[in-house]
Amino acid sequence: AGRALAALLLAASVLSAALLAPGGAPERGAESARPRDLDKKRHVELKMDQALLLIHNELLRTNLTVYWNSERCYHCLFQVLVNVSQSRRAGEPSIAAVGVSAQHGSILQLKATEEEKEVCRLEYKFGEFGNYSLLVKHVQDGVDRIACDVVVNEDPVDSNLPVTVAFLIGLALVIAVCFLRFLLSLDDFNNWISKAINSRETDRLINSELGSPSRADALGGDSQLEAWGPAAVPQRLRCVDTFRGIALIIMVFVNYGGGKYWYFKHSSWNGLTVADLVFPWFVFIMGSSIFLSMTSTLQRGCSKFRLLGKIVWRSFLLISLGIVVVNPNYCLGPLSWDKLRIPGVLQRLGVTYFVVAVLELLFAKPVPGSGASERRCSSLRDILSSWPQWLFILLLESIWLGLTFFLPVPGCPTGYLGPGGIGDLGKYPNCTGGAAGYIDRLLLGEDHLYQHPSSAVLYHTEVAYDPEGILGTINSIVMAFLGVQAGRILLYYKDQTKAILLRFTAWSCFLGLTSVALTKVSENEGSIPINKNLWSISYVTTLSSFAFFILLVLYPTVDVKGLWTGTPFFYPGMNSILVYVGHEVFESYFPFQWKLGDDQSHREHLTQNIVATALWVLIAYILYKKKIFWKI
Ligand SMILES: *[C@@H]1O[C@H](CO)[C@@H](O)[C@H](O)[C@H]1NC(C)=O
Ligand SMILES: *[C@@H]1O[C@H](CO)[C@@H](O)[C@H](O)[C@H]1NC(C)=O
Ligand SMILES: *[C@@H]1O[C@H](CO)[C@@H](O)[C@H](O)[C@H]1NC(C)=O
Ligand SMILES: *[C@@H]1O[C@H](CO)[C@@H](O)[C@H](O)[C@H]1NC(C)=O
């Protein structure tokens, strides 16, 4: 463990050094883009993801008001950016300086302040820390008209360079590790050759002493799978833990800030970013684990009643952990009821776990063997054997659809799915989340919800909205149940790799096509857009389609062929509760966070977040080696 620690710290320092080094040049550029000796009027303190825009008004008799909107803000009201007064004398434009967002394309609309008449409108994608001028002047090419042109004074920095560098370093590390492993295996191979030549007897001795896991691997692992036998207790499936670890590690990274890149943050409203992927995957894999572990517990002869007790206790622990340990911000003062957030990630996991586990427990059936007697409708037995559960899930889903689209919400259109605020041209500012938001505000109260929904920045929503609210929990139960289905496939067809892969493919395609139908492959135009804040059903089908696809890749590589052990994701996957609670609680403690030299630099944030995430992988590895697991 000590050696591993040293190696990982070394890797982390190499990584941070490498991340800091190539950024040197852009950083200087960024420094000079910060105004230093400008007169007061033009002094703009640029933040991350902003560009400097100088608006030159050369018009003699028109005061201008500049309005701004982001390309990503769907059906939004324009916001006043700045006023530029009329030019005092010909050839002496009046200039206003302002910071504009460089994350997405901008739409600028210039209007005459007094007449409210549009002078011009343009779309432009500004770059981070760039320096731009917008020249507004009369031109005479036949007709007299007003021209608005953007001129680049100083080039922007390449914001994505740190991500590229980090990715290349990661890739290099993976290649290095693979190469090392290859060399080691050559060594083994050499030893084996020399021993085989020396005496066949020693070889047999070694093999029998070590058991022969390596031989099973060499045969493609099928013999190992058959060894489970129909009645045998199933082994832990490594691909499930690996998948859970992948989701968890991305979750830690994005929760720590993800280098403050927009694609590592949650979508403002509709849409899908890296950060939106992980929570549903986690729920999905929890569903698979529920099925796998419940089946093995029941096979070991545990009574259903005792299992029910365990389920209740676990859900209770998850929910209390979420409310008491992870949820409150203890820096703001002691825990108090007035402002306590009731919903949350662990709370949702707890409720989802409870519903799905009880549902599976009620209708649990022994896993059929692969005997010939079962052949009759064996191709669908994973679905047919669980028809009561499916019925229940369909019922739940119709409740979600019914409430979402038919619940009358005072002051809002029925079936509203938008973000409120300035969205939908500002017509429904307080309708954020439609029925889902209304139900939470009604049942839990505004003060007990999340106060900073991701739509607050782009859509200027002011009401509280909780992304882990009550209505969305229905769809998280559906997601977990699809995970149960994946687990069922893995157990029902455990000795038939082909059957498993076929089913994963079928589910992935079916769910993918459902999403295509619901969203029309568009961010905002479909009948039910993908939305993490609402956990819309298209979000669930899309993410579970991806999840089945990932299992389709992981199951053969990790469990059947043993080409990859799932390192390093496997370790956090084995200790998920500890890593989740730990990363939340120690978020602002030293090795995970430190004071940045320049807190408006993506590079420094990215370095910090990668180091913190790597530390959690390391911690999980050490705990795994010491056989410490936090199971609840
Ligand atoms: C931006 O460019 C303009 C025109 O070249 C220049 O006058 C101004 O000083 C620059 N601003 C900054 C902050 O570099
Ligand atoms: C523009 O604003 C100035 C003062 O803010 C005002 O004196 C002037 O009349 C305005 N111009 C027009 C065309 O309204
Ligand atoms: C711009 O001018 C308008 C009208 O005079 C005023 O209402 C608004 O507050 C001004 N906006 C800014 C950002 O100065
Ligand atoms: C929205 O809520 C705010 C504060 O809660 C209130 O001031 C405002 O009038 C409301 N707007 C509408 C359109 O109901």
Side-chain angles (χ1 to χ4, degrees):
R3 236 181 301 145
L5 181 78
L8 236 128
L9 282 184
L10 189 73
S13 53
V14 167
L15 187 73
S16 28
L19 273 178
L20 290 169
E27 183 55 22
R28 246 175 280 124
E31 281 301 325
S32 64
R34 310 268 168 80
R36 279 224 187 92
D37 40 26
L38 279 177
D39 53 297
K40 261 204 184 122
K41 197 176 141 206
R42 281 200 232 158
H43 185 93
V44 178
E45 196 67 55
L46 280 192
K47 297 212 186 73
M48 175 182 281
D49 290 322
Q50 277 194 333
L52 180 68
L53 179 62
L54 304 168
I55 300 156
H56 298 241
N57 185 0
E58 296 183 10
L59 308 178
L60 286 170
R61 278 178 302 279
T62 317
N63 295 322
L64 288 176
T65 302
V66 183
Y67 294 85
W68 175 88
N69 194 6
S70 167
E71 226 171 56
R72 291 290 290 254
C73 201
Y74 183 66
H75 286 171
C76 284
L77 281 184
F78 275 88
Q79 305 292 297
V80 175
L81 190 63
V82 70
N83 289 331
V84 198
S85 59
Q86 63 196 20
S87 165
R88 260 164 277 148
R89 236 169 282 133
E92 199 183 293
S94 136
I95 304 179
V98 66
V100 284
S101 166
Q103 262 178 7
H104 306 290
S106 296
I107 306 170
L108 293 171
Q109 186 190 32
L110 281 72
K111 280 185 176 177
T113 310
E114 283 79 13
E115 296 101 77
E116 300 243 326
K117 195 183 74 193
E118 183 173 299
V119 173
C120 61
R121 177 195 273 257
L122 64 152
E123 287 184 24
Y124 197 84
K125 169 84 180 73
F126 297 100
E128 193 181 16
F129 296 135
N131 178 350
Y132 301 85
S133 287
L134 173 61
L135 308 176
V136 187
K137 58 187 172 206
H138 277 290
V139 285
Q140 264 153 338
D141 43 359
V143 279
D144 191 31
R145 60 181 186 94
I146 295 173
C148 299
D149 297 305
V150 176
V151 177
V152 183
N153 302 323
E154 271 167 46
D155 283 329
V157 302
D158 184 357
S159 328
N160 291 324
L161 190 68
V163 176
T164 317
V165 172
F167 177 75
L168 290 179
I169 293 175
L171 198 66
L173 274 179
V174 169
I175 292 174
V177 167
C178 287
F179 186 65
L180 271 177
R181 275 189 54 190
F182 174 67
L183 283 187
L184 284 179
S185 70
L186 273 189
D187 206 1
D188 276 356
F189 183 65
N190 287 341
N191 285 346
W192 181 77
I193 292 270
S194 57
K195 270 181 202 123
I197 292 170
N198 285 346
S199 95
R200 294 198 147 268
E201 198 51 43
T202 5
D203 179 38
R204 208 172 302 146
L205 209 72
I206 287 173
N207 264 347
S208 61
E209 248 173 66
L210 296 177
S212 47
S214 52
R215 248 195 293 166
D217 280 352
L219 290 175
D222 278 335
S223 57
Q224 203 180 1
L225 291 178
E226 269 154 24
W228 290 359
V233 177
Q235 287 175 5
R236 216 180 160 95
L237 279 157
R238 237 182 140 92
C239 64
V240 172
D241 294 314
T242 306
F243 188 14
R244 187 188 301 111
I246 293 175
L248 188 64
I249 283 311
I250 304 178
M251 195 188 258
V252 170
F253 176 67
V254 299
N255 276 355
Y256 276 166
K260 301 256 185 276
Y261 286 99
W262 66 268
Y263 41 83
F264 292 137
K265 287 185 198 160
H266 290 297
S267 305
S268 298
W269 195 253
N270 294 336
L272 205 59
T273 63
V274 175
D276 299 329
L277 300 175
V278 286
F279 186 25
W281 282 351
F282 202 75
V283 170
F284 182 91
I285 216 67
M286 181 179 79
S288 307
S289 309
I290 288 174
F291 182 77
L292 296 173
S293 69
M294 186 179 289
T295 308
S296 77
T297 315
L298 287 177
Q299 277 179 357
R300 260 184 271 132
C302 182
S303 81
K304 281 193 177 187
F305 192 70
R306 264 195 63 198
L307 209 51
L308 182 69
K310 269 190 187 169
I311 291 169
V312 172
W313 176 238
R314 254 183 224 164
S315 316
F316 171 75
L317 272 185
L318 271 174
I319 295 172
S320 347
L321 265 179
I323 292 186
V324 178
V325 181
V326 171
N327 173 0
N329 193 343
Y330 282 112
C331 319
L332 294 180
L335 187 57
S336 87
W337 176 249
D338 333 333
K339 293 267 172 198
L340 186 71
R341 181 183 171 202
I342 300 172
V345 170
L346 287 180
Q347 291 88 316
R348 173 169 281 187
L349 282 176
V351 174
T352 306
Y353 174 82
F354 179 78
V355 174
V356 174
V358 168
L359 183 66
E360 277 304 309
L361 187 67
L362 281 181
F363 299 105
K365 279 186 198 165
V367 173
S370 50
S373 57
E374 299 267 349
R375 281 285 178 253
R376 262 178 304 138
C377 48
S378 74
S379 57
L380 282 177
R381 68 175 181 229
D382 52 329
I383 298 175
L384 294 182
S385 72
S386 56
W387 66 267
Q389 290 100 307
W390 276 109
L391 213 60
F392 179 80
I393 291 297
L394 290 179
L395 188 75
L396 265 188
E397 191 49 41
S398 13
I399 294 177
W400 186 84
L401 288 169
L403 285 177
T404 303
F405 288 103
F406 299 110
L407 182 76
V409 179
C412 302
T414 304
Y416 183 70
L417 294 176
I422 61 166
D424 300 286
L425 302 175
K427 274 185 284 182
Y428 319 113
N430 295 348
C431 293
T432 308
Y438 175 66
I439 290 175
D440 288 345
R441 285 191 285 272
L442 195 71
L443 297 185
L444 303 174
E446 188 128 358
D447 285 340
H448 301 292
L449 302 179
Y450 192 56
Q451 300 294 319
H452 318 283
S454 60
S455 56
V457 179
L458 200 55
Y459 289 97
H460 300 265
T461 52
E462 271 152 21
V463 288
Y465 176 80
D466 207 301
E468 270 84 50
I470 296 173
L471 202 52
T473 304
I474 290 184
N475 278 346
S476 98
I477 291 170
V478 176
M479 185 88 199
F481 190 70
L482 288 165
V484 168
Q485 190 60 33
R488 217 190 299 277
I489 292 172
L490 281 171
L491 272 201
Y492 275 34
Y493 304 95
K494 63 188 161 237
D495 45 359
Q496 309 160 39
T497 308
K498 224 184 241 166
I500 291 180
L501 298 187
L502 193 73
R503 273 164 186 78
F504 283 172
T505 315
W507 273 107
S508 184
C509 291
F510 168 69
L511 291 165
L513 288 176
T514 312
S515 315
V516 167
L518 290 175
T519 63
K520 298 194 189 131
V521 208
S522 123
E523 185 169 304
N524 297 303
E525 304 292 341
S527 46
I528 305 182
I530 295 180
N531 189 302
K532 149 85 168 68
N533 278 298
L534 297 168
W535 270 66
S536 58
I537 185 63
S538 54
Y539 179 63
V540 168
T541 53
T542 310
L543 270 295
S544 46
S545 165
F546 291 173
F548 273 108
F549 179 76
I550 290 175
L551 280 182
L552 177 67
V553 175
L554 284 184
Y555 178 65
T557 41
V558 174
D559 280 306
V560 180
K561 299 269 184 222
L563 294 176
W564 178 40
T565 53
T567 317
F569 303 109
F570 176 72
Y571 308 112
M574 292 289 286
N575 230 334
S576 51
I577 292 294
L578 186 135
V579 172
Y580 184 80
V581 173
H583 100 277
E584 288 272 6
V585 170
F586 293 105
E587 178 168 5
S588 48
Y589 280 66
F590 164 61
F592 309 110
Q593 205 177 63
W594 58 85
K595 190 161 172 21
L596 297 175
D598 175 4
D599 67 350
Q600 297 303 323
S601 149
H602 281 300
R603 186 166 44 79
E604 291 197 28
H605 278 284
L606 187 68
T607 314
Q608 187 178 63
N609 300 153
I610 289 179
V611 169
T613 311
L615 279 171
W616 279 112
V617 176
L618 178 68
I619 291 169
Y621 173 74
I622 293 171
L623 291 175
Y624 178 82
K625 283 287 162 199
K626 293 201 176 300
K627 296 197 170 56
I628 300 172
F629 299 104
W630 183 11
K631 292 242 159 70
I632 61 172

